[in-house]
């Protein structure tokens, strides 16, 4: 983990509980409730939005630097 960025590790920490939910549903046959599915969708969606906005900010900053040169 020493070579990973903090942002990548944070994403992995979000995915870990979701992985546990899906594995328990597939392997043990545990039923996922609608609230669990909605929570998983919200968590993944918010993570995706955060990643996309961060990447967009980086691209815009690089474009501003290139325009100044």
């Amino acid at each position: 983990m020493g070579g990973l960025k903090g942002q990548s590790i944070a994403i992995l920490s979000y995915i870990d509980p979701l992985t546990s939910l899906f594995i328990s549903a597939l392997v043990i046959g545990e039923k996922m409730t609608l609230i669990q599915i909605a929570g998983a969708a919200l968590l993944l969606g918010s993570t995706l939005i955060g990643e996309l906005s961060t990447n967009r900010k980086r691209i815009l900053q690089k474009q501003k630097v290139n325009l100044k040169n």
Side-chain angles (χ1 to χ4, degrees):
M1 280 198 178
L4 294 175
K5 294 180 182 177
Q7 189 175 11
S8 298
I9 294 171
I11 291 171
L12 291 174
S13 69
Y14 288 125
I15 294 174
D16 186 40
L18 297 176
T19 305
S20 300
L21 278 175
F22 292 122
I23 289 175
S24 66
L26 293 173
V27 175
I28 303 173
E30 186 174 314
K31 303 289 184 209
M32 289 182 65
T33 65
L34 184 59
I35 293 174
Q36 287 175 320
I37 294 170
L42 286 172
L43 184 61
L44 288 175
S46 62
T47 304
L48 176 65
I49 289 169
E51 282 297 307
L52 292 175
S53 67
T54 301
N55 288 338
R56 184 172 180 199
K57 287 178 187 177
R58 285 185 194 146
I59 291 169
L60 290 174
Q61 287 175 348
K62 285 181 182 179
Q63 287 176 349
K64 285 180 184 179
V65 169
N66 289 338
L67 290 175
K68 289 180 182 179
N69 293 331

